[in-house]
Amino acid sequence: TQLERLAYEQRHNSDQPEVHDIIRGFRRVLDSYPARMMVGEVWPRDQRSLADYLRLDELQQAFNFRFLFSPWQASAFRSRIEEVESTLGADAWPTYTLSNHDFPRHITRYGASNANARARMATVLLLTMRGTPFIYYGEEIGMPDVEIPADRKCDPVGRDGCRTPMQWSAGRNGGFTSASEAWLPIGDCNAINVDRQLGDASSMLSLYRRMIHLRKTSRALSEGSYRTEANAPDDCLIFHREAANQRVMVALNFSDAPRHIEVPRASILLSTDGNRPEGIASGHIELHSNEGVVLEVV
């Protein structure tokens, strides 16, 4: 059948041993220049073979798209993270991404009446992972996919909705171009744009900026180890990032209802819920629905 023929072809034209010699050649050229790195868009047939592309003389990094296939469930994200940690090993450097140009944006994929809260919590997840986070343009302001009229579609397989122009302002064409129109329709620039969010401490953009700053200034988050917390509610993902003299705990509630979790004595560094006061937590805290909290154990 055609399906069997395609499967046969894929066995013989992907993940072949000789591709590693080609990548090593790329790496030799790369290493002849200072301060360069290489990241590959690698789609191995078996996720466990991703590590084969990250050997010392091959790619420094390879895109990991496992989150793109995760339903909004703590168990799904937990299993994918643990798979990456176990297959790559503690010495390898993982990558994570929530959205890209081939898949619906995650705020749309996880869309519901609480899509914004889910997207805010996903921000904390992405930016507290061990390794390198990749941010797809527009997710830092919560841009959703855009409905594309039939006569404006460009991509033959329907990916236009996640490829619309960046929404910089509420002005003409979202501030993206001075042309009469962009190559694709613009989203709701009046509601979602960079200019509007820059001055709003509660905006998605401000959350991304706070998380990036926290990641850069925390040794545990920037280079520490990863460990899943076993004693967590089924619909919560809790993990620890640890480095010398610092331990950070990240608690994420994937439920639409509050959850009580146990915590050591810790300082609340950040919450996706603007109503949570900063301070010291000890013994337990109540996570609000779809809330992410970052704590530093004291």
Side-chain angles (χ1 to χ4, degrees):
T1 66
Q2 183 179 11
L3 183 61
E4 290 171 335
R5 180 177 61 81
L6 289 172
Y8 173 83
E9 290 174 352
Q10 286 299 303
R11 286 198 303 271
H12 293 274
N13 70 358
S14 68
D15 243 0
Q16 298 302 301
E18 53 267 34
V19 76
H20 296 284
D21 291 332
I22 297 171
I23 295 173
R24 290 186 186 102
F26 293 160
R27 180 62 182 270
R28 287 192 294 271
V29 173
L30 193 77
D31 287 345
S32 68
Y33 295 87
R36 301 292 193 273
M37 62 84 65
M38 182 166 53
V39 56
E41 184 173 345
V42 179
W43 290 87
R45 290 193 302 273
D46 186 337
Q47 180 68 17
R48 290 171 296 183
S49 67
L50 186 65
D52 294 341
Y53 293 84
L54 296 170
R55 289 175 283 209
L56 293 178
D57 58 349
E58 295 192 40
L59 300 172
Q60 284 104 333
Q61 296 184 20
F63 284 118
N64 164 32
F65 298 116
R66 303 295 282 165
F67 282 178
L68 297 176
F69 304 98
S70 293
W72 190 254
Q73 298 170 359
S75 58
F77 282 93
R78 184 186 305 113
S79 64
R80 283 158 174 77
I81 295 165
E82 291 177 349
E83 177 188 47
V84 170
E85 287 291 318
S86 63
T87 55
L88 296 188
D91 294 332
W93 193 248
T95 69
Y96 290 93
T97 186
L98 287 162
S99 297
N100 77 356
H101 62 281
D102 288 328
F103 292 84
R105 293 175 177 273
H106 65 274
I107 196 170
T108 297
R109 293 202 312 274
Y110 302 130
S113 59
N114 51 8
N116 191 65
R118 290 182 172 188
R120 290 174 69 86
M121 198 184 84
T123 301
V124 172
L125 172 63
L126 177 69
L127 293 172
T128 54
M129 284 286 90
R130 186 177 79 86
T132 297
F134 284 87
I135 299 171
Y136 183 51
Y137 82 93
E139 71 180 71
E140 72 274 40
I141 60 171
M143 275 177 55
D145 283 11
V146 176
E147 189 72 27
I148 309 296
D151 62 344
R152 296 291 305 277
K153 291 181 178 179
C154 298
D155 183 61
V157 295
R159 295 169 295 185
D160 292 321
C162 65
R163 298 177 173 188
T164 57
M166 182 68 179
Q167 297 167 199
W168 294 103
S169 71
R172 179 185 176 89
N173 290 319
F176 183 84
T177 178
S178 59
S180 58
E181 66 177 16
W183 78 98
L184 284 172
I186 311 288
D188 186 355
C189 298
N190 290 320
I192 302 173
N193 66 71
V194 173
D195 280 353
R196 180 173 181 174
Q197 294 192 21
L198 277 172
D200 181 358
S202 65
S203 68
M204 185 76 77
L205 180 58
S206 292
L207 175 63
Y208 267 85
R209 297 178 77 177
R210 289 179 62 201
M211 274 304 313
I212 291 170
H213 176 75
L214 180 59
R215 182 184 178 90
K216 289 178 67 175
T217 55
S218 166
R219 187 171 182 183
L221 290 178
S222 61
E223 60 185 65
S225 61
Y226 172 92
R227 175 172 60 85
T228 302
E229 172 59 55
N231 298 318
D234 289 342
D235 44 16
C236 293
L237 172 59
I238 301 175
F239 55 88
H240 303 272
R241 299 292 313 281
E242 299 176 2
N245 303 319
Q246 187 183 40
R247 177 180 161 198
V248 170
M249 180 178 182
V250 180
L252 308 166
N253 179 14
F254 284 77
S255 169
D256 291 330
R259 291 290 182 264
H260 284 85
I261 64 167
E262 296 180 1
V263 298
R265 180 174 171 79
S267 173
I268 298 174
L269 301 179
L270 180 144
S271 168
T272 58
D273 188 329
N275 295 319
R276 181 179 294 282
E278 295 181 359
I280 300 295
S282 183
H284 73 276
I285 62 172
E286 180 183 82
L287 289 177
H288 305 151
S289 64
N290 295 293
E291 180 187 17
V293 176
V294 183
L295 308 101
E296 181 176 8
V297 178
V298 296

